[in-house]
């Protein structure tokens, strides 16, 4: 017996958080009976439906993609304004969704999958998965600001955790700098807000690394499947961090 939101997430239908929302909205039925209790436990033999659609508990066929997201694409499965989504860029009929988010104008590495368990592990703050971004910012980024940023700064009443920051280059002509930043948190617009709080605007932002994964060999808009080995390492990284 498992909690229903966990079963829904592992089926690949949606994330655990969204499953909880669907339960609260009364859209989930077990063996025809509406469920509104988050801790409700189900077995393999129970028939779960969401909005009338049967959740395939035994569908253990998972798909994993690594996409180099272009600018002007939304990190979601659908958009009410009909803008292009990251899922539209992947040629599959499977119901996949992005792991975490990149802003509409942010480019770079994003994972898409129908494996709810892996998605939960990767996005859970306690697993501290490192993400490296290259930011082009206005002005000449000061070493003193680098030190402040590395220690952690206040943004929207939250103090960012210590992170790694490197100045990659200065462009005196356009009065801008390229700065690499590695964080393990994932608050909304976190990197932009960190630079903004020190007086720099982010002109471009690209995620270049996610844990050990890079964009090697992928042009903007291109994607590839993760290998089984990579998926296993992602799972094991998360578990190691959880135990420590
Ligand atoms: N931080 C941001 O500000 N934007 C992103 O897209 C990702 C991290």
């Amino acid at each position: 017996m498992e909690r229903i939101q966990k079963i829904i997430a592992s089926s690949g239908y949606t994330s655990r958080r969204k499953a909880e929302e669907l339960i609260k909205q009364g859209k989930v039925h077990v063996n025809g009976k509406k469920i509104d209790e988050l801790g409700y436990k189900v077995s393999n033999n129970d028939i779960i439906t969401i909005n009338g659609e049967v959740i395939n508990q035994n569908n253990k066929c998972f798909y994993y993609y690594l996409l180099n997201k272009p600018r002007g694409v939304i990190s979601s499965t659908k958009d009410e304004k009909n803008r292009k989504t990251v899922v539209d860029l992947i040629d599959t009929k499977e119901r996949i969704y992005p792991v975490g988010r990149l802003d509409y104008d942010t480019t770079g590495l994003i994972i898409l999958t129908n494996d709810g368990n892996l998605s939960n592990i990767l996005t859970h703050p306690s697993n501290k998965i490192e993400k490296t971004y290259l930011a082009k910012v206005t002005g000449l980024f000061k070493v003193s600001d680098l030190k402040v940023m590395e220690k952690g700064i206040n943004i929207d009443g939250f103090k960012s955790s210590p992170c790694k920051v490197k100045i990659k280059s200065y462009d005196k002509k356009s009065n801008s700098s390229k700065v690499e930043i590695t964080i393990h948190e994932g608050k909304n617009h976190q990197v932009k807000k960190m630079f903004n709080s020190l007086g720099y605007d982010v002109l471009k932002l690209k995620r270049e690394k996610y844990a050990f994964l890079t964009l090697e060999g992928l042009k903007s808009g291109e994607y590839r499947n993760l290998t089984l080995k990579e998926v296993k390492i992602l799972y094991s990284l998360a578990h190691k961090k959880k135990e420590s």
Side-chain angles (χ1 to χ4, degrees), residues 5 8-9 14-23 28:
Q5 59 267 44
I8 296 171
T14 188
S15 67
R16 195 183 299 200
R17 193 176 51 78
K18 294 235 173 77
E20 288 172 354
E21 275 167 29
L22 290 166
I23 295 165
V28 179

Side-chain angles (χ1 to χ4, degrees), residues 101-103 106 133 189-193 205:
R101 273 162 198 270
L102 288 179
D103 294 335
T106 299
Y133 297 85
H189 314 302
Q190 180 162 341
V191 174
K192 289 177 186 164
K193 284 180 180 168
L205 187 63

Side-chain angles (χ1 to χ4, degrees), residues 84-122:
K84 195 176 256 187
T85 73
V86 282
V87 173
D88 294 334
L89 299 177
I90 311 281
D91 185 17
T92 178
K93 291 200 169 62
E94 297 303 322
R95 192 192 286 270
I96 54 167
Y97 53 90
V99 175
R101 273 162 198 270
L102 288 179
D103 294 335
Y104 189 63
D105 58 352
T106 299
T107 60
L109 199 160
I110 189 157
I111 295 172
L112 295 104
T113 184
N114 60 345
D115 180 348
N117 278 333
L118 184 64
S119 183
N120 279 330
I121 288 169
L122 294 178

Side-chain angles (χ1 to χ4, degrees), residues 171-183:
D171 185 348
K172 290 204 173 129
K173 245 190 189 167
S174 67
N175 192 34
S176 63
S177 317
K178 286 200 175 145
V179 184
E180 186 187 273
I181 171 164
T182 302
I183 58 172

Side-chain angles (χ1 to χ4, degrees), residues 14-47:
T14 188
S15 67
R16 195 183 299 200
R17 193 176 51 78
K18 294 235 173 77
E20 288 172 354
E21 275 167 29
L22 290 166
I23 295 165
K24 285 189 209 148
Q25 288 162 9
K27 296 193 170 151
V28 179
H29 289 72
V30 175
N31 305 324
K33 190 175 142 235
K34 186 155 89 183
I35 298 303
D36 51 16
E37 183 200 327
L38 289 181
Y40 192 86
K41 291 203 167 154
V42 285
S43 77
N44 280 343
N45 301 324
D46 290 313
I47 311 276

Side-chain angles (χ1 to χ4, degrees), residues 8-204:
I8 296 171
S10 353
S11 77
Y13 184 91
T14 188
S15 67
R16 195 183 299 200
R17 193 176 51 78
K18 294 235 173 77
E20 288 172 354
E21 275 167 29
L22 290 166
I23 295 165
K24 285 189 209 148
Q25 288 162 9
K27 296 193 170 151
V28 179
H29 289 72
V30 175
N31 305 324
K33 190 175 142 235
K34 186 155 89 183
I35 298 303
D36 51 16
E37 183 200 327
L38 289 181
Y40 192 86
K41 291 203 167 154
V42 285
S43 77
N44 280 343
N45 301 324
D46 290 313
I47 311 276
I48 305 169
T49 54
I50 300 181
N51 288 325
E53 197 177 335
V54 178
I55 299 304
N56 186 356
Q57 283 200 50
N58 301 316
N59 173 12
K60 292 296 171 207
C61 197
F62 292 131
Y63 299 85
Y64 307 90
Y65 301 94
L66 189 163
L67 168 70
N68 185 352
K69 175 192 172 299
R71 243 176 134 87
V73 176
I74 195 136
S75 296
S76 174
T77 48
K78 319 192 182 79
D79 182 46
E80 72 267 4
K81 292 188 206 149
N82 253 343
R83 288 173 296 183
K84 195 176 256 187
T85 73
V86 282
V87 173
D88 294 334
L89 299 177
I90 311 281
D91 185 17
T92 178
K93 291 200 169 62
E94 297 303 322
R95 192 192 286 270
I96 54 167
Y97 53 90
V99 175
R101 273 162 198 270
L102 288 179
D103 294 335
Y104 189 63
D105 58 352
T106 299
T107 60
L109 199 160
I110 189 157
I111 295 172
L112 295 104
T113 184
N114 60 345
D115 180 348
N117 278 333
L118 184 64
S119 183
N120 279 330
I121 288 169
L122 294 178
T123 50
H124 199 282
S126 68
N127 286 321
K128 301 189 174 170
I129 303 293
E130 286 197 336
K131 287 147 279 199
T132 300
Y133 297 85
L134 183 65
K136 182 177 177 188
V137 303
T138 51
L140 303 180
F141 191 70
K142 292 193 202 119
V143 174
S144 55
D145 286 335
L146 175 150
K147 292 193 173 140
V148 172
M149 201 177 244
E150 278 193 329
K151 281 194 187 135
I153 42 180
N154 284 315
I155 41 168
D156 296 345
F158 145 86
K159 185 161 188 254
S160 60
S161 294
C163 63
K164 295 174 217 156
V165 185
K166 267 189 216 159
I167 298 170
K168 301 295 277 187
S169 62
Y170 285 131
D171 185 348
K172 290 204 173 129
K173 245 190 189 167
S174 67
N175 192 34
S176 63
S177 317
K178 286 200 175 145
V179 184
E180 186 187 273
I181 171 164
T182 302
I183 58 172
H184 61 69
E185 294 157 316
K187 302 269 180 216
N188 255 354
H189 314 302
Q190 180 162 341
V191 174
K192 289 177 186 164
K193 284 180 180 168
M194 287 169 79
F195 281 105
N196 291 163
S197 78
L198 293 169
Y200 302 92
D201 275 337
V202 175
L203 302 169
K204 279 187 184 168

